[in-house]
Amino acid sequence: MEIQFYNTLTKQKEKFIPLNEKEVRIYSCGPTVYKNATIGNMRTNIFQDVLRRVLKYNGYKLKHVMNITDVGHLVSDGDEGEDKMLKSAREENKSPLEIAEYYTKLFFDDLKALNIETPEIVCKATDHITEMLEYVKKLVANGFAYETSTAIYFDVSKLDKYGILSGINLNEQKSGARVEVDKEKKNPYDFALWIKAPENHLMKWDSPWGPSYPGWHIECSAMSLKYLGEQFDIHTGGIDLIPTHHENEIAQSKGACGKIPARYWMHGEYLLINGGKMSKSLGNVYLLEDIIKRGYNPLVYRLFSYSCHYRNKLNFTWEGIDAASKSLERLKEGYKKHLLGEEQVNKEVVDEFENRFHKAINDDLNMPLAMGVVWEVIRYEKKSKQLADLLLKFDTVLGLKINEEDAKEQIPEEITNLLEQRSKAREEKNWAESDRLRDLIKEKGYIVKDSKDGATVEKIK
Ligand code: AMP
Ligand code: ZN
């Protein structure tokens, strides 16, 4: 069945035709591992995972590369400020390597909790310094880069056109350009490929330009070239990467290989919190851990993200998460009813459901539409194992583990001990102590429920 993807490059939906029928090659810009990933970051990762799963549903094999940025991503995308890794290392009093290892592990823990598949190749920037240096040398040799006293810059005026993804008009921008950090830059949109390290800089490598370190954009060009070749099928990322990072990747590839590296550019929209931005100052930066702490299965967030197309803004609210939690329960119950059902359903009915689901996911990953079909199957009046099997097939795309029971929540030992002490106090009619222990249990996030069979605790949601 035909697949259509919206391509940011051409600004329209296009039929997807891979360069190689047997294997689809994808590059995704991965995390900068200097802090916890937020549920916003995870929305982008879920979108990328759905893309993978939809391609596999269509029978394709994948070679998917995701980088881990552990050097060179400065605080501002305009080549200004400190390296994010170094800033975090300084603030947390750790080495950049410790910071990278710590946050990389947390990132992969989140992916696992969300049932997000690990790409075939995961590669770290610091493991590819040689490839990046070679790339920069090639750009210099091809006349696309120049040296200043602080860095090696890409010269955007050497390209036939810079800004094809975001439609920037260089002439308009020039007049209103901001004050540059480096006065030796030739054009406002020139960007750093390689940065000369000040003395005492923690992460630096020898280069023809002295001790220095890579800019952020060069790592993706060097690693995609190494693992996927000069041109591959799909490049993905969050929408914020379009105007700078992805424009610069395209510029680099054109300068080094004369080609736009990917044929289809797919971008996920942002997750909003209560209609606005997630920001530290508003105190509304949520991690997946926050959702888990409130007692939800993390896959509830995955299901929540299907309430909206990946190219539209999605508004996060706790009410939304609560509704998604109930929906996930209903999905699991519905699946079980079909599994135990003994009625027969016409093959045409099953095929029609399958066909509509397949059409929806192939239409630029239309998950809200696909979920509509899933609910029709769940609610279908005849309960049949054929439909349970169909739901399991759909779940290869949904990734919701609809056939797995939720693990019963483990009550921590500390709470069970407190509960025992409270029972004892009650037996001894020591009501003050019993009340104190109940309040203490509450402080620790659990509510005590008394019944004729004794006391139990429940996590406060
Ligand atoms: P950052 O941690 O801001 O560098 O973000 C890492 C990646 O996650 C970015 O490239 C974005 O594409 C994506 N991202 C960040 N915030 C959000 C958000 N609120 N919603 C969706 N994607 C996001
Ligand atoms: Zn990238």
Side-chain angles (χ1 to χ4, degrees):
M1 190 187 286
E2 180 172 315
I3 306 180
Q4 295 253 338
F5 288 142
Y6 181 86
N7 188 352
T8 312
L9 196 59
T10 56
K11 296 178 186 49
Q12 60 187 8
K13 266 199 234 173
E14 284 176 26
K15 181 175 174 183
F16 176 66
I17 307 168
L19 287 160
N20 171 345
E21 253 313 306
K22 295 215 175 73
E23 185 180 67
V24 176
R25 282 170 292 155
I26 312 169
Y27 188 92
S28 297
C29 292
T32 306
V33 283
Y34 70 107
K35 62 166 188 190
N36 298 89
T38 66
I39 53 171
N41 302 139
M42 285 302 138
R43 181 183 185 202
T44 299
N45 285 285
I46 293 171
F47 139 62
Q48 289 165 174
D49 188 56
V50 169
L51 171 65
R52 280 182 62 89
R53 288 166 177 270
V54 166
L55 288 166
K56 290 211 280 191
Y57 193 92
N58 283 276
Y60 289 114
K61 286 211 162 56
L62 305 180
K63 187 171 186 185
H64 181 193
V65 177
M66 180 178 70
N67 65 303
I68 302 286
T69 302
D70 56 356
V71 68
H73 193 173
L74 304 192
V75 169
S76 142
D77 288 353
D79 299 331
E80 284 173 54
E82 212 176 341
D83 186 313
K84 290 186 182 188
M85 296 300 300
L86 293 186
K87 183 169 184 278
S88 186
R90 184 167 48 72
E91 286 169 358
E92 295 192 28
N93 204 14
K94 289 188 181 139
S95 73
L97 182 67
E98 282 171 323
I99 292 288
E101 282 180 352
Y102 179 73
Y103 289 111
T104 302
K105 181 183 177 307
L106 291 187
F107 175 77
F108 281 101
D109 286 349
D110 280 0
L111 295 199
K112 189 157 180 254
L114 288 167
N115 199 17
I116 293 173
E117 299 175 341
T118 306
E120 283 66 29
I121 298 173
V122 175
C123 42
K124 284 197 295 187
T126 49
D127 287 341
H128 294 79
I129 298 293
T130 311
E131 286 86 348
M132 287 189 238
L133 255 180
E134 287 309 312
Y135 207 110
V136 178
K137 284 186 206 163
K138 193 165 181 193
L139 288 173
V140 173
N142 289 358
F144 282 93
Y146 62 93
E147 183 178 358
T148 73
S149 37
T150 61
I152 312 303
Y153 282 102
F154 188 97
D155 186 346
V156 298
S157 70
K158 293 282 160 59
L159 288 173
D160 53 345
K161 181 155 177 39
Y162 174 82
I164 43 179
L165 265 189
S166 49
I168 303 163
N169 182 335
L170 290 193
N171 293 331
E172 265 173 31
Q173 298 290 332
K174 247 182 197 164
S175 52
R178 61 199 159 75
V179 183
E180 289 296 345
V181 259
D182 187 340
K183 298 243 166 21
E184 296 166 61
K185 256 173 81 169
K186 291 183 184 168
N187 313 288
Y189 275 91
D190 290 354
F191 56 91
L193 295 163
W194 208 264
I195 304 160
K196 297 181 184 178
E199 242 181 272
N200 302 326
H201 199 265
L202 275 181
M203 287 192 287
K204 58 188 168 191
W205 290 265
D206 282 337
S207 81
W209 310 284
S212 43
Y213 60 97
W216 172 34
H217 321 294
I218 198 70
E219 65 174 270
C220 292
S221 293
M223 290 192 269
S224 65
L225 176 65
K226 175 171 177 175
Y227 295 109
L228 300 175
E230 289 186 358
Q231 208 180 33
F232 49 94
D233 298 299
I234 308 173
H235 199 311
T236 73
I239 200 158
D240 57 317
L241 299 184
I242 299 173
T244 309
H245 186 56
H246 286 170
E247 290 293 10
N248 294 351
E249 276 187 48
I250 291 176
Q252 289 166 163
S253 291
K254 282 171 99 178
C257 314
K259 288 186 180 132
I260 295 175
R263 304 222 310 195
Y264 303 86
W265 291 74
M266 296 175 72
H267 293 96
E269 247 294 358
Y270 256 46
L271 176 84
L272 304 180
I273 308 287
N274 294 320
K277 256 192 99 159
M278 214 187 304
S279 91
K280 266 193 187 156
S281 57
L282 294 172
N284 64 3
V285 176
Y286 294 124
L287 311 181
L288 190 63
E289 196 187 310
D290 296 316
I291 293 180
I292 298 169
K293 268 191 198 149
R294 290 209 189 189
Y296 295 106
N297 174 344
L299 293 176
V300 164
Y301 180 64
R302 187 170 176 123
L303 176 58
F304 170 75
S305 80
Y306 298 157
S307 57
C308 176
H309 192 272
Y310 79 89
R311 284 196 293 113
N312 291 332
K313 290 185 176 63
L314 170 62
N315 191 30
F316 177 90
T317 59
W318 286 109
E319 290 76 29
I321 288 294
D322 210 41
S325 175
K326 292 191 177 101
S327 294
L328 187 58
E329 270 170 39
R330 281 209 305 275
L331 267 183
K332 290 184 179 204
E333 280 163 19
Y335 165 76
K336 225 195 248 163
K337 276 189 191 154
H338 278 306
L339 188 66
L340 302 174
E342 287 177 353
E343 288 175 281
Q344 277 294 316
V345 175
N346 284 340
K347 187 174 177 306
E348 294 79 62
V349 172
V350 180
D351 288 350
E352 205 217 315
F353 278 138
E354 201 284 329
N355 194 36
R356 283 171 54 211
F357 178 85
H358 199 163
K359 254 196 186 149
I361 57 172
N362 278 16
D363 180 13
D364 196 28
L365 318 178
N366 193 336
M367 294 309 281
L369 193 60
M371 283 311 298
V373 181
V374 171
W375 285 115
E376 280 184 47
V377 177
I378 291 282
R379 285 194 291 258
Y380 197 68
E381 64 273 17
K382 286 189 179 165
K383 301 300 168 197
S384 150
K385 168 98 172 35
Q386 295 154 280
L387 294 179
D389 289 343
L390 183 66
L391 287 166
L392 270 194
K393 186 173 178 193
F394 291 170
D395 202 37
T396 62
V397 172
L398 307 177
L400 295 170
K401 301 188 181 180
I402 57 165
N403 56 339
E404 284 184 20
E405 299 267 350
D406 270 355
K408 283 274 168 281
E409 215 178 285
Q410 284 286 319
I411 308 292
E413 209 177 304
E414 183 196 9
I415 303 294
T416 333
N417 287 341
L418 288 174
L419 193 63
E420 261 173 38
Q421 287 174 37
R422 181 176 172 273
S423 300
K424 236 182 232 156
R426 280 168 73 87
E427 275 166 27
E428 290 160 7
K429 301 208 173 355
N430 185 348
W431 307 120
E433 176 64 358
S434 157
D435 286 352
R436 187 189 72 81
L437 287 162
R438 190 196 53 214
D439 291 346
L440 186 61
I441 292 171
K442 194 170 172 192
E443 258 173 46
K444 293 183 186 287
Y446 290 81
I447 193 114
V448 178
K449 295 207 161 159
D450 290 307
S451 75
K452 57 179 177 9
D453 302 323
T456 53
V457 284
E458 244 176 46
K459 196 161 185 197
I460 301 170
K461 288 195 178 168

